[in-house]
Amino acid sequence: MKYLLLIYNEENPAGWEAMSEAEQQELIGKYRAVSALPNTLGANQLQPAATATTVRVSDGQTLATDGPFAETKEVLGGYYLVEANDLDEAIGIAAKIPATWSGGCVEVRPIVEM
């Protein structure tokens, strides 16, 4: 079964910039380690929430507004698409994502395969 692991964390560029180059590279390496797991089918980091556009259609009119859908402390920062035997295995993979260790969270969602 396929699962989408949605990574939520505080959007804090200042925190990234406060890290040393070695700390940044160590963190990047931890994310790459999850990307290298045989279960991982795809992964991407997203641009900051401020670059998002929300689209709605009302009465046949397409409405596009700047920014994310809702004001929130945590933002969707990226995702992994993984193959897992069951939810427990998907949760185990999610627990390896560094955001879960630093105050963020990962939402695990099964994919509807058609």
Side-chain angles (χ1 to χ4, degrees):
M1 180 167 224
K2 292 180 183 156
Y3 292 87
L4 193 60
L5 310 181
L6 300 162
I7 304 166
Y8 292 90
N9 214 340
E10 284 188 43
E11 192 167 47
N12 186 0
W16 175 257
E17 293 165 2
M19 296 171 76
S20 70
E21 178 70 25
E23 291 170 324
Q24 290 176 353
Q25 290 307 310
E26 180 181 354
L27 184 59
I28 290 169
K30 290 176 181 178
Y31 277 99
R32 286 189 176 146
V34 178
S35 295
L37 293 172
N39 308 64
T40 301
L41 305 175
N44 282 293
Q45 180 180 3
L46 300 175
Q47 293 287 334
T51 66
T53 301
T54 300
V55 177
R56 293 181 179 83
V57 176
S58 177
D59 297 325
Q61 295 275 25
T62 300
L63 308 169
T65 56
D66 292 341
F69 176 73
E71 289 294 321
T72 181
K73 183 177 168 186
E74 293 179 333
V75 295
L76 177 62
Y79 67 89
Y80 286 93
L81 176 62
V82 301
E83 183 91 35
N85 292 319
D86 55 29
L87 179 59
D88 289 336
E89 184 178 10
I91 290 170
I93 297 167
K96 295 176 181 176
I97 298 173
T100 62
W101 315 329
S102 60
C105 66
V106 174
E107 179 182 346
V108 179
R109 298 276 300 268
I111 300 289
V112 176
E113 298 193 56
M114 301 177 138

